[in-house]
Amino acid sequence: MADSSATRRLIATLRTAVGRRHVLTDPRRTARFRRGYRSGEGGALAVVRPGTLVELWQVAQACVVADVSILMQASNTGLTGGSTPDGDDYPGGLVIISTTRLDRLHLLGGGEQVVCLPGTTLYALEAALRPLGREPHSVIGSSCLGASVVGGVCNNSGGSLIRRGPAYTELALFGSVGADGALRLVNHLGIALGDDPEAILDRLDRGDFAAADVDPATDKPAHDHRYVTHVRDIDSDVPARFNADPRCLFEAAGSAGKLIVFAVRLDTFAKEDETVTFYIGTDDPDRLTELRRTMLRDFAELPIAGEYMHRGAFDIADRYGRDTFRAIERLGTDRLPRLFAAKAWVDGVTERFVRNLSDRVLQRAGALLGDHLPPRMRAFRDRFEHHLLLKMPRGDAAATATLLDTLLPGGWFECSADEATKAFLHRFVAAGAAVRYRAVHGDTVEDIVALDVALPRNSRDWAELLPDDLGGQVVDTLYYGHFFCHVFHRDYIVRKGVDPLAFEHALWKRLDAVGAQYPAEHNVGHLYHAKSELAGFYRQLDPRNQLNPGIGHTPKARAWEA
């Protein structure tokens, strides 16, 4: 919208819809929405924060009519920049619609299913389900702080819980922009709410529907039921789950901002209270390979979780994630979104004077907090290069211990409840620790190259050893991930002066040679190229290319013109 008068008219319309205080145009106030958690930054005409689904519909309509580009954003915790601008060259200019105020949810069937609005966080869903003895698809232990439920579905997120696979549903309520430039509301939620778009959205927002209005929709999955069998195929040369897998691309699922998703309906899961966690260490990755293949092939029940950490990731998380660890441990997860919002505000105010001030202060504070890890974990860090956290049902504890004695004698221990909690929390803070490292070592670090890799299910050579020409370009590496799914997060802290893009492309060639898929679960964002199947899916959802244009290095121009 080069015409400033047209821009002013749009801003006025947006303010009428949501109120003046919820339309941000000052670059200092919009900075935390325009800059990605790890990467990505660009300009925006405005950031709009609707408070109801009707307001979201009205904002979207105004943007479609004005022919501006639209970027949907929830918690802005993505690791690939997929929900933040990439440059300033968006057709018509860009409006970011932040959904964090739309954080309501509705439990169905006594909590066996849930309807989540676009800003509902995993934390909020966990809290709502906890009294019912149930859990969402993902729980703390993955790699995103404050992630939204809808964001997980739209980005094919996986998580740490093996049996649940990627976030997936075929039950959603969404708006799509047709090739004719018209915004249409599609109700595939399986809840009868009427025919008028604003009436539908208002009723859903308020929970104004009865059990009789809810279709059981037994023919429409609300999670990936097939994954428990799919992941066991240990001789397949296709990865278990990855972003471009056509198996899990359906309307909102995998849409990556190419639809305006108002709500998703998802299954929840019975919480397993009787569990045992084993802490495993080895210097021989082949021992872990045999453990994985044996359990996936022979055990009647899949493990609950199997989280891997390399010693390097252990150390970085130890040094640069300590304050986050303590904050979660002492304050709980529910307060984290507000803490991170406060951190972003501080950085926005002080950025003109000191870059990354909050990270520098928090890093110094973390150093004063004292040792936060159990002695047995410390001992295993010194003894072993490879670490695995294996969570099992109590009924499989004896069989697991017997297998561990056979494959890894002396290389495991059964965790106490406190050790288990701290071990998984330590794994959880690894991703943020890499960001902290970059923030406080800007003089020696060029950037982070973060790869999200799905290896073939039959892969045995999963432990990467960089050749000297690439190894010399990094200060450090962090390897961690979801071991039984063969999904790994590989973070490379690149030395000052190294071209991160050239380094990343060299890594891609190595991954292509072994049949890996990337990204695995964090959206292509603006770091990865969308594979042809995925780009075709995006074109189908958004033929006008008005929503999140440019995602996955696709064209930004209207109608997908190159």
Side-chain angles (χ1 to χ4, degrees), residues 63 126 404 407 483 512:
C63 291
E126 278 191 77
L404 291 174
L407 294 176
F483 186 66
D512 291 340

Side-chain angles (χ1 to χ4, degrees), residues 84-102:
T84 43
D86 181 45
D88 302 315
D89 57 340
Y90 286 86
L94 181 71
V95 170
I96 300 172
I97 303 178
S98 171
T99 63
T100 54
R101 296 177 66 214
L102 303 171

Side-chain angles (χ1 to χ4, degrees), residues 494-512:
V494 179
R495 293 186 184 278
K496 198 75 172 177
V498 171
D499 180 352
L501 190 60
F503 178 80
E504 184 171 11
H505 287 177
L507 295 174
W508 288 356
K509 290 180 180 179
R510 290 169 54 84
L511 293 172
D512 291 340

Side-chain angles (χ1 to χ4, degrees), residues 237-239 453-457 509-518:
D237 60 2
V238 177
V453 178
L455 295 180
R457 280 166 281 174
K509 290 180 180 179
R510 290 169 54 84
L511 293 172
D512 291 340
V514 299
Q517 290 279 353
Y518 49 92

Side-chain angles (χ1 to χ4, degrees), residues 352-373:
R352 289 175 294 171
F353 311 104
V354 182
R355 182 85 169 172
N356 300 316
L357 176 63
S358 65
D359 282 297
R360 296 175 187 277
V361 171
L362 289 170
Q363 183 60 27
R364 288 177 179 267
L368 304 176
L369 292 176
D371 195 357
H372 58 300
L373 297 179

Side-chain angles (χ1 to χ4, degrees), residues 228-242:
V228 289
T229 301
H230 181 75
V231 73
R232 286 185 182 272
D233 189 358
I234 57 176
D235 293 319
S236 172
D237 60 2
V238 177
R241 54 179 170 89
F242 54 97

